[in-house]
Amino acid sequence: MKKILFVFVMFSLAMISCGETKKEDVKKEVETTKEVTKEAPAASSDMLAMGEKLFTDKTCVSCHQLDAKIVGPSIKDIVKVYDQYDASLVAFLKGEKEAIVETDPGQVAIMKANLDGFVKDLKEEELEALAAYMKSAK
Ligand code: HEC
């Protein structure tokens, strides 16, 4: 009888410790998922900061203000049209897509000069940062 009891106790202990490791595994998994989600906004705020800096450093700001048209359309107007057509700012900046905000040839030529000039030297991630900044600035 004692022996059976002993086996039973050992068995229960094994079950309990098994259960505990499982619980810990789950906890670990939850923690890793948390870390991933924690990092995502940080990365995107870095991206926004990079985009904002590029927008100034690369002189975009001298032709594009947030709210008012100067030489080029305002950031808000650009983003509104791009949202409306679900279009890609990055594709436009890469020169893959025609202008959709202002299609007057004289105006398009001004922006095209930038695309052919310095914008083509920007890296993919820089273009994405610029686009993310413009979208966030609306
Ligand atoms: C010398 C002035 C000037 C500078 C500098 C300039 N732009 Fe423009 N941009 C314009 C003009 C003018 C238009 C309107 C013509 C057009 O829409 O293509 C325009 C249009 C745009 C559009 C809308 C394109 C469309 O679909 O109609 C985007 C997006 C844009 N600019 C982004 C930028 C970014 C990003 C920079 C900096 C890397 C920049 N621009 C620098 C003058 C400028």
Side-chain angles (χ1 to χ4, degrees):
M1 183 61 197
K2 253 191 193 165
K3 206 174 175 186
I4 291 174
L5 192 67
F6 177 74
V7 169
F8 178 73
V9 168
M10 287 309 281
F11 180 72
S12 333
L13 279 179
M15 287 296 281
I16 290 168
S17 57
C18 248
E20 269 172 11
T21 36
K22 262 202 187 143
K23 237 188 255 162
E24 275 193 2
D25 279 351
V26 171
K27 213 171 131 195
K28 256 187 217 153
E29 260 174 44
V30 170
E31 272 166 15
T32 10
T33 343
K34 258 195 214 152
E35 266 166 35
V36 172
T37 41
K38 232 194 290 169
E39 271 168 22
S44 79
S45 72
D46 277 358
M47 202 174 176
L48 294 182
M50 178 180 169
E52 185 170 11
K53 188 171 183 313
L54 283 166
F55 204 80
T56 309
D57 288 357
K58 299 295 170 187
T59 72
C60 317
V61 73
S62 64
C63 294
H64 299 288
Q65 299 267 297
L66 177 63
D67 228 345
K69 180 180 157 71
I70 37 171
V71 183
S74 71
I75 297 180
K76 278 191 178 174
D77 284 344
I78 293 175
V79 171
K80 204 164 85 191
V81 174
Y82 271 77
D83 276 353
Q84 200 178 328
Y85 289 100
D86 200 18
S88 160
L89 285 166
V90 173
F92 170 78
L93 294 174
K94 279 185 181 169
E96 291 168 357
K97 291 273 191 272
E98 300 293 317
I100 54 172
V101 181
E102 268 183 36
T103 49
D104 173 80
Q107 291 291 95
V108 170
I110 299 175
M111 186 58 209
K112 187 85 171 41
N114 292 308
L115 297 181
D116 295 343
F118 63 91
V119 179
K120 71 169 175 18
D121 296 328
L122 299 179
K123 289 187 227 122
E124 173 89 27
E125 57 165 2
E126 291 177 315
L127 297 178
E128 273 169 18
L130 276 171
Y133 164 69
M134 289 178 79
K135 282 190 190 155
S136 79
K138 61 180 163 169

